[in-house]
């Protein structure tokens, strides 16, 4: 179906529901929060008479972005659920979405699981937050309003998923949309501070990672963050894995794996050119061609994944 038709269908479905519950993926990042809560704030500003909820497990490190709603099971009865930035159903945070009357998927990951009554996926979009702004633009003449708070969230989502407009996914559309978003009255400086300031234990962990990562054949980097290291620096697995991008600063590195001990072991994969989401898919994961996540059950399996990464970078 054409993008314009999909957006129109989504707008019509939103207008026809009195209760809308917005979900995003587990282990949220800036774009998950930005697209979910950005859409939530657009709908609250546009339709004050509707009940709009944003749900999921809060991520402490992203609390500055938005608060989430805690709601009872019966709220899903007769509701429209919208899931943003979530490629597959297993990764939807709060699986009570199944109780909703209708379901909409809005996402920018490869569409291996085309769930929902309406499924709008654009893998060219740098972030799902970019798509939410396009949805607002399509709905402008039908009562959609973007508030400064919504603009702040969408800007944060796009800045997060593009590494502040550095990654190759950053397009002319990204810059056009961001140039619209910065016209809204929100404190960009404050947001940047919140995005990049880290507590001292995280700074020290960055130092540990930079001193201890390994380089393998074919310019592949890797680091193992064990439970012992997490305890030493007093960080959670989610905190640790947020540091994946720092290895990208190492000159010459082509692709890298960031392992964090947990049950199962978490893997964050990044690349400067070699396609890595096919490797992530082989190890219970997925994601974008140059930024993916996976899970392995032992350090031996981690080594198999590393071998695949080394071979892919030949
Ligand atoms: P991360 O390394 O967790 O920052 O994730 C990078 C990208 O891969 C994000 O777009 C995630 O949504 C996606 N991703 C991470 N883990 C998984 C997984 N287990 N399955 C599918 N996609 C994932």
């Amino acid at each position: 179906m054409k993008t314009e038709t999909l957006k129109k269908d989504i707008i019509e479905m939103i207008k026809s529901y009195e209760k809308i519950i917005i979900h995003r993926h587990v282990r949220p990042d800036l774009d998950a929060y930005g697209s979910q809560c950005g859409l939530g704030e657009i709908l609250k500003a546009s339709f004050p008479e509707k009940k709009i909820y944003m749900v999921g497990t809060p991520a402490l490190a992203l609390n500055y972005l938005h608060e989430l709603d805690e709601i009872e099971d019966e709220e899903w009865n007769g509701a429209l659920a919208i899931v943003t930035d979530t490629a597959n159903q297993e990764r939807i945070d709060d699986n009570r979405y199944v109780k909703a009357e209708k379901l909409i998927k809005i996402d920018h990951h490869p569409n291996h699981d085309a769930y929902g009554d309406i499924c709008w996926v654009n893998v060219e979009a740098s972030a799902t937050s970019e798509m939410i702004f396009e949805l607002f633009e399509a709905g402008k003449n039908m009562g959609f309003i973007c508030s400064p708070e919504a603009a702040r969230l969408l800007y944060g989502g796009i800045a997060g998923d593009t590494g502040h407009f550095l990654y190759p996914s950053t397009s002319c559309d990204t810059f056009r949309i961001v140039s619209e978003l910065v016209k809204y009255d929100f404190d960009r400086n404050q947001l940047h501070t919140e995005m990049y300031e880290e507590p001292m234990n995280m700074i020290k962990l960055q130092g540990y990672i930079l001193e201890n990562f390994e380089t393998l054949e074919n310019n592949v980097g890797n680091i193992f963050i064990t439970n012992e290291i997490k305890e030493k620096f007093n960080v959670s697995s989610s905190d640790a894995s947020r540091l994946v991008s720092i290895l990208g600063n190492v000159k010459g590195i082509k692709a890298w794996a960031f392992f964090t001990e947990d049950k199962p072991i978490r893997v964050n994969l990044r690349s400067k050119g070699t396609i890595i989401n096919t490797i992530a898919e082989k190890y219970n994961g997925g994601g974008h061609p140059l930024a993916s996540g996976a899970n392995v059950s032992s350090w031996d399996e981690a080594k198999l994944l590393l071998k695949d990464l080394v071979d892919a970078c030949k």
Side-chain angles (χ1 to χ4, degrees), residues 25-27 29 85-88 91 107-109 161 241-242 244 266-270 280-281 283-288 291-295:
H25 62 78
V26 292
R27 299 184 196 165
D29 53 15
D85 198 41
T86 311
N88 46 341
R91 284 178 43 87
D107 186 31
H108 72 137
H109 296 93
D161 251 25
S241 60
R242 278 197 297 113
V244 55
R266 294 180 182 206
V267 194
N268 303 86
L269 288 174
R270 297 292 186 269
E281 283 160 18
Y283 296 90
N284 294 311
H288 303 288
S292 309
N295 297 290

Side-chain angles (χ1 to χ4, degrees), residues 175-275:
F175 284 117
R176 183 191 70 75
I177 288 167
V178 164
S179 77
E180 291 299 320
L181 289 171
V182 295
K183 290 178 187 158
Y184 290 83
D185 184 20
F186 67 89
D187 191 339
R188 204 164 4 131
N189 219 11
Q190 169 71 15
L191 179 62
H192 291 162
T193 305
E194 287 162 335
M195 284 171 72
Y196 292 107
E197 255 185 6
E198 292 284 1
M200 197 52 91
N201 60 333
M202 289 287 280
I203 300 291
K204 300 270 185 201
L205 179 59
Q206 288 185 24
Y208 170 86
I209 292 165
L210 292 173
E211 289 220 0
N212 291 281
F213 74 93
E214 298 175 309
T215 37
L216 307 173
E217 262 179 276
N218 304 331
N219 297 312
V220 168
N222 86 297
I223 180 90
F224 294 101
I225 305 291
T226 59
N227 284 336
E228 199 186 326
I229 295 300
K230 283 192 292 174
E231 267 167 42
K232 180 173 174 197
F233 291 94
N234 190 25
V235 295
S236 66
S237 298
S238 304
D239 287 336
S241 60
R242 278 197 297 113
L243 298 179
V244 55
S245 55
I246 59 172
L247 292 185
N249 295 335
V250 180
K251 191 169 180 178
I253 221 165
K254 273 192 189 166
W256 61 105
F258 191 106
F259 296 93
T260 308
E261 188 168 8
D262 207 322
K263 286 190 182 123
I265 298 167
R266 294 180 182 206
V267 194
N268 303 86
L269 288 174
R270 297 292 186 269
S271 162
K272 293 182 185 168
T274 306
I275 306 299

